[in-house]
Amino acid sequence: MEPLLLFPDPPPPVLAQSLDLGGYPWKAAMTAEEAAHIEPDDGWSGAVVCADEDPEGAFAFCRALRKRDLPMEPVLLLVSGLQLPDLELREDLFDDFCLSPFQPRELEARLKHLFWRTGRGTRPELVEYGPLVLNLETYQAGIGGRPLDLTYMEYELLKFLATHPGKVFTRETLLSRVWGYEYYGGARTVDVHVRRLRAKLGEEHANLISTVRSVGYRFGQPRWSL
């Protein structure tokens, strides 16, 4: 996927973080000239322009993107609620807007809609379950828009569980499927990693991994209930 163009440079940390978690590659620029200088050979997949800190600079940036030989699209504009009146008569400068501070899931939904509407961009391979997102290309994970700082084996265990929601696995099966047949660790290894994962998922989401007594662990909801 071609990268998104962001304004300003550096972009707000929460925006960079949300795009990273969503698997969207990006580069930032402060001017249209700089954007042209760093533009990939295959072009940009679109632009996300933050107008809440420097509104006039942001609108000038959008205007320059639209005046290119091949006008940039899609352009998503991030504005504060107080800036909504500023959008009047500037509808030609952007394809959609999102109120800032934004919810990561709303930003994601709007980007998906824009890409679908313009036929541009593709998403990297993601595993999503409720608020959990795993990017299989970048080994990043997040829950509810919050990044998870996982070790390699914690990530691998969570990935395996999340790709088999509702299914119960014994500790021995998890050892063989996640750690590999050559691993000689005991069942306690699985218990320790599950405990750490629950702690990192946080109290609100720790129950994504359930203990099935005398058997093992299950991720998510059971496939059927009595």
Side-chain angles (χ1 to χ4, degrees):
M1 178 183 184
E2 292 77 29
L4 279 165
L5 173 62
L6 304 189
F7 174 92
D9 184 20
V14 65
L15 173 60
Q17 186 181 86
S18 297
L19 294 175
D20 287 341
L21 285 176
Y24 293 97
W26 56 268
K27 293 181 179 179
M30 281 300 291
T31 65
E33 291 75 17
E34 183 184 353
H37 180 69
I38 64 173
E39 183 169 359
D41 293 339
D42 294 329
W44 303 103
S45 61
V48 179
V49 178
C50 300
D52 46 356
E53 293 291 334
D54 178 14
E56 291 308 315
F59 286 122
F61 191 78
C62 290
R63 191 172 295 107
L65 296 182
R66 292 299 209 200
K67 287 185 175 179
R68 290 161 38 120
D69 292 339
L70 185 60
M72 170 81 74
E73 67 172 3
V75 175
L76 179 65
L77 188 66
L78 301 181
V79 295
S80 68
L82 295 176
Q83 292 176 305
L84 287 176
D86 297 338
L87 302 185
E88 191 173 356
L89 302 180
R90 285 170 164 158
E91 292 82 358
D92 59 319
L93 300 182
F94 56 91
D95 297 285
D96 194 7
F97 69 91
C98 184
L99 288 181
S100 183
F102 60 86
Q103 292 294 323
R105 285 193 167 274
E106 181 183 359
L107 177 73
E108 171 75 14
R110 290 185 181 277
L111 285 174
K112 287 172 66 176
H113 176 71
L114 282 175
F115 285 139
W116 173 81
R117 199 174 72 185
T118 60
R120 295 180 64 88
T122 56
R123 291 230 304 168
E125 191 173 0
L126 302 178
V127 174
E128 297 178 88
Y129 187 96
L132 177 70
V133 180
L134 298 174
N135 187 320
L136 303 186
E137 295 180 355
T138 64
Y139 283 82
Q140 291 175 299
I143 186 88
R146 172 174 60 87
L148 292 173
D149 183 17
L150 305 180
T151 66
Y152 174 75
M153 292 312 302
E154 289 167 354
Y155 180 91
E156 288 294 310
L157 176 59
L158 185 58
K159 181 180 75 174
F160 180 80
L161 291 170
T163 51
H164 300 83
K167 188 174 180 178
V168 179
F169 293 97
T170 66
R171 294 170 175 80
E172 290 73 20
T173 300
L174 291 172
L175 276 175
S176 65
R177 298 291 298 275
V178 178
W179 277 262
Y181 290 101
E182 302 299 324
Y183 186 76
Y184 294 101
R188 177 170 165 71
T189 298
V190 177
D191 295 335
V192 169
H193 280 73
V194 167
R195 184 169 67 246
R196 290 174 179 168
L197 277 177
R198 285 171 169 161
K200 292 183 178 181
L201 289 170
E203 185 176 350
E204 182 181 358
H205 304 294
N207 60 1
L208 279 174
I209 304 176
S210 304
T211 301
V212 180
R213 189 173 300 176
S214 303
V215 183
Y217 294 102
R218 178 186 63 234
F219 180 88
Q221 297 299 313
R223 295 184 175 182
W224 57 280
S225 58
L226 295 175

